[in-house]
Every structure is written in C-alpha cells, then in structure tokens.
Amino acid sequence: MNNKERCYNEMVIMRLIKLIVVLIMFFPALSCANSVFTPGKVSKIILHDWGRVLVYLDSGINTNEGCEKKAAIVLDRGNQHFAEMYSSLLSAYHAGTKVGGWVNGCDNLHKAPVLSRLDLMPK
C-alpha cells in the first residue's frame, strides 16, 4: 500500500469515527422521553380502584407527549414515589398552589400522559 492509499484509508476511517460519535450523541436525547407540562393549579383528583390517579389542572395539560387525551395526568400506583407524589398533589389541591413537572409516555388505559416528576411551584 502506498502513501496515497494509506492517507485515503485513514481519512475514511476518521470520517466514520466522527459519524459514529455524532450518532451516539443523538441516541441519549432520543431515548429520554420525559417532557415538561405547563404548571397549573390542581382542579380535580380522581382515584380509581385499579391503581391509577387522574389529576386535572385548571390550565389543562400542555405537553409534548403524543397521547390521545390531554385532559389529565395519570399518577400510577406503581410509581416508586407514589405516596410522596399523591400527598404533594393533595397538599397543592387544598392550598391552591401550582404544580409542574414531567410526564413520560402515555397510560395504556386512559391514553393520557403519565406523571414521572412533580414540582410544587411557589405562590
């Protein structure tokens, strides 16, 4: 292999490495499905016996999740922080304070965004 061929091969390899690095940088962004929802006051909380809580906000649910229904956020009893989130939602409801946070995916039963992070907003 002469010098010209070796330089060309090294150049091709470097371009492939750069392409792979750029592609790898985009995959974490694509796999992170969490999206924020517009903060609002809790206007209604509905508890279902099958382990889900529907939370309605006075401002409606505005999020980038592609769910069919956006009238409520679903808090699933399977969430590891269910007790803390539910208690915080009740407190926010009774105090009239706003909540915000993140949703991740859509509930398969209600077709609504699933709560994954809850932020209590200042008055």
Side-chain angles (χ1 to χ4, degrees):
M1 182 179 333
N2 63 32
N3 242 357
K4 203 176 210 182
E5 289 174 341
R6 196 175 83 208
C7 279
Y8 177 76
N9 287 342
E10 288 175 0
M11 186 176 69
V12 169
I13 290 171
M14 289 304 292
R15 284 185 181 172
L16 283 173
I17 290 172
K18 287 179 185 178
L19 178 65
I20 290 170
V21 168
V22 168
L23 289 174
I24 288 173
M25 288 175 20
F26 283 110
F27 280 115
L30 294 174
S31 66
C32 181
N34 280 321
S35 62
V36 298
F37 62 90
T38 305
K41 291 183 180 181
V42 179
S43 60
K44 180 169 48 170
I45 298 174
I46 299 175
L47 292 98
H48 285 285
D49 58 354
W50 58 82
R52 289 178 179 86
V53 176
L54 297 177
V55 181
Y56 293 83
L57 303 181
D58 64 350
S59 60
I61 308 300
N62 298 313
T63 180
N64 290 331
E65 294 296 316
C67 303
E68 289 177 34
K69 299 177 183 174
K70 294 190 178 182
I73 297 172
V74 176
L75 175 58
D76 190 346
R77 189 173 292 276
N79 185 307
Q80 64 180 345
H81 300 293
F82 175 84
E84 293 87 352
M85 288 183 169
Y86 182 62
S87 174
S88 297
L89 287 166
L90 287 175
S91 296
Y93 174 73
H94 288 288
T97 58
K98 289 185 176 183
V99 297
W102 294 352
V103 291
N104 187 4
C106 305
D107 181 69
N108 59 356
L109 184 62
H110 293 288
K111 311 295 186 217
V114 178
L115 185 63
S116 60
R117 172 182 153 171
L118 183 65
D119 301 337
L120 299 175
M121 312 303 278
K123 277 191 168 186

